[in-house]
Amino acid sequence: MVNLTINGQAVQVENSFTILQAAEQMGISLPTFCHDKRLTGHGACRICVVEVKGARSLMTACTVPVSEGMMVETHSPSVIEARKEILRLMIENHPLDCLTCAKAGACKLQDYCFEYDVKEGGYQGAKKNYPIDDSNPFFYLDRNKCILCGRCVRVDNELQCTGAINYNQRGFNTHIGIPYERDFEASTCVSCGNCVSACPVGALMPKSDVKFRQWEVRTVKTTCAYCGVGCQLELKVKGNKVVGAEPVETEPNDGLLCVKGKFGYRFLDHPDRLKTPLIRKDGKLAEASWEEAYRTIAGKMLEIKEQHGPDAMGTFTSARCTNEENYLMQKLFRAVAGTNNVDHCARL
Amino acid sequence: MTNSINELIDADTILIIGSNTTENHPVIGAKIRQAIGKGAKLIVAEPREIELAKEADVFLQIRPGSNVALLNGMMHVILAEGWQDKAFIEERTEGFETLERVVKAYTPERAAQLCGVKAEDIVAAARLYAKADKASIIYCMGITQHSNGVGNVMSVSNLAMLCGQLGKASSGVNPLRGQNNVQGACDMGALPATLPGYQPVSKPEVIAKFEQAWNTRLSAKAGLTVPEMMDAACRGDIKFLYIMGENPMVSDPDTAHVRHALTHTDFLVVQDIFLTETAELADVVLPAAAFAEKDGTFSNTERRVQRVRKAVEAPGSAKPDWVIIMELMNALGYKSMYRDPSEIFDEIASLTPSYAGMSYERLEECGIQWPCPDKAHPGTSYLHKGAFSRGKGLFKGVEHQEPVEPTDEQYPFALTTGRVLYHYHTRTMTKRVKGLEAKVPESYLEISPSAAAELGVKDGDMLKVSSRRGEISIKAKVTDRVSGNVVFIPFHFAEAAANVLTNSALDPNCKTPELKVCAVAVKK
């Protein structure tokens, strides 16, 4: 364990901790753009800078390991001024279209500018002017809003391990892109959207057929309904409509999803959804009430049981339904119908 | 899975056999790549050159249906070189002699010939697996969907036991479950011979326990599996069939046979979220709520029981499946009353030893892996620590067996099937998601450049593909992902459906159909 002092308060932390982790342990929140706790510290955005007594300059809390006797100030005047300057440099070259930006309300740049009271850059420098890459059917990349924190690149290359995106060019011309300046559709991208989930600003954004404000949605944590990995995700819900999905950083997916988990919820309110029971009448399926449907099914089950015995009935339950539903279905057939003709598609 | 998903990241060697992981279990595919990034060695054994094959240290492009020959060949090498874990074999297993006897005949040269790969690659794979400190095997339907599926699974287990790669972290035998809750459905007794928790209907004490809990009389006679029910329906022995959330008209082998079965039942009930190809044949269709419209739990491929939570209301008068079943129980005169799924879960926990320690309260923050026998138990990240469930692990010598339907002059191509990244199973959901449909809008036949050249087929040509069971028209995709006479069709599409062609021949023990290989003819 290591002893250090943060903002005049003594604290003891694990040897392996960074200043950022030590501050977090004390409940002190530091701003971060590039930091991702699943990855090693990057120190790209500099917004987490802190003052370390005896150090020549401010240090990035996300990369600097703690050491015995270290004295740290996280919100001293020089730290505050440095963070303001970083934010000014960022918004100097960032479209200030928060009024219409879909990320507003969930944008870290917006939040920190509010927190540090930064309204404008004030440099009148050169501006980025990149075309928007909307070649992917699920998301778009607006490089003009990118702050080059690099989280998307690292999530793609180190966690998703697809390696579709990286930095192109150098210096002021640095931008996130596909090799040879191709678009997403012409790349190795698998549309997992993990870069989109990682973007702290409005540069990588899901395409949406509904407009919504981030503060209009509530989130519901649930389990993905596609394959057997069981990824944890948060559905974003506006009114009675699911409008987005975000991965949760927990077992088993640890903040990753695939294209179906991230974007595949869109079948939910498809007009083809079955909305009422149907009963075949004169060879055609016709709308019916629940009462009629239950009466018809129950009548048939009792009739067949009576005439042919319980083993003339069977059920295919579902690997798509919940445990509770599978349990009840086999209970219905075993306890009520009286047969063990219960199976599902485990073999298929 | 005997082990956990995130343990893969720390494995030294990963053997993937019969699994196209990055497309079918993409997040596990990403974790395997993270492991490679940390230095893990990768062996891929697959009939197709899947994405991960390009990153493999050893890629064995095996002939469909030659898994046992490959695994026996690897075990032959391991025994010949003395790389087996002698202490593990001695302490934890029995029947080693029978394995030794069988694999003796599978020299790498013979195995290589049966599999259509190089002998030195089999030796290299054996070395990488056997010499690893922590080696993990991943398999999927490429192992199970064969007429000798049980033999394939036993061979996988033989290899793991031979090298002592069970009962510790980052090792094990790890089947990947293809559907969100196929693990849970099995756990819940959605199987003809077992009640919840794999408690066999053949045991009088099990029947007595459930008769008391459910206040009814139960049958002790094992029921029929899905393929057996299909056959029974064709014979007229199954008169009433109730299908919940399945689409056998697209997912099951030999579509003509399935159609015959479903139209021959006196009464068919289908409960689903869309009017599937199967629902179109039903006498009654019941509209169900989708995953985001109900509460419950799913159990994932690593045995982790996780909460499903309601986010939105179901459309129209659609109801959660559990409500429908409960109301039907009452309509049949069996009193059933649950205010919400947590009460059903409590009943499950009271009757299922591996779920006994779980409750919605405990699952609130994070899922729990079974077995979790009591309230204080943290769950189990890997199985078989110290002992197997039967005590000692049993080696079984397994002989290679040719597919039921070998290729011949009339049907010279070996067809294998699978999924693609952008679709899911029978596409009922994914075809209604614009971007997914745009990515892969139609079915196709992967055919090797050499076979295409021989037939004079170009990429995009329409082909007629036929088997002894049916014929489809399908677009050609000329690709070196497949080689020689192996062809591949994704089974998602009801139009140009792969399962019109596939063989419903079953593994005699587990009744899994041989979906992964049948003989077909390809014509322009």
Side-chain angles (χ1 to χ4, degrees), chain A residues 179-198:
Chain A
Y180 310 109
E181 304 293 355
R182 288 178 303 197
D183 61 22
F184 269 101
E185 269 312 80
S187 74
T188 56
C189 170
V190 290
S191 304
C192 64
N194 288 320
C195 59
V196 179
S197 303

Side-chain angles (χ1 to χ4, degrees), chain A residues 68-123:
Chain A
E68 188 64 31
M70 192 180 241
M71 310 266 279
V72 179
E73 287 293 331
T74 64
H75 285 78
S76 66
S78 63
V79 167
I80 301 276
E81 187 41 41
R83 288 189 192 142
K84 283 186 171 196
E85 187 59 14
I86 291 163
L87 291 170
R88 277 185 216 114
L89 288 165
M90 281 179 178
I91 65 165
E92 168 63 23
N93 201 355
H94 184 95
L96 295 177
D97 61 354
C98 306
L99 288 177
T100 53
C101 180
K103 188 79 173 187
C107 172
K108 281 193 163 189
L109 184 58
Q110 189 186 40
D111 290 348
Y112 296 147
C113 283
F114 174 77
E115 186 180 341
Y116 289 90
D117 214 6
V118 173
K119 286 195 183 69
E120 54 191 14
Y123 286 97

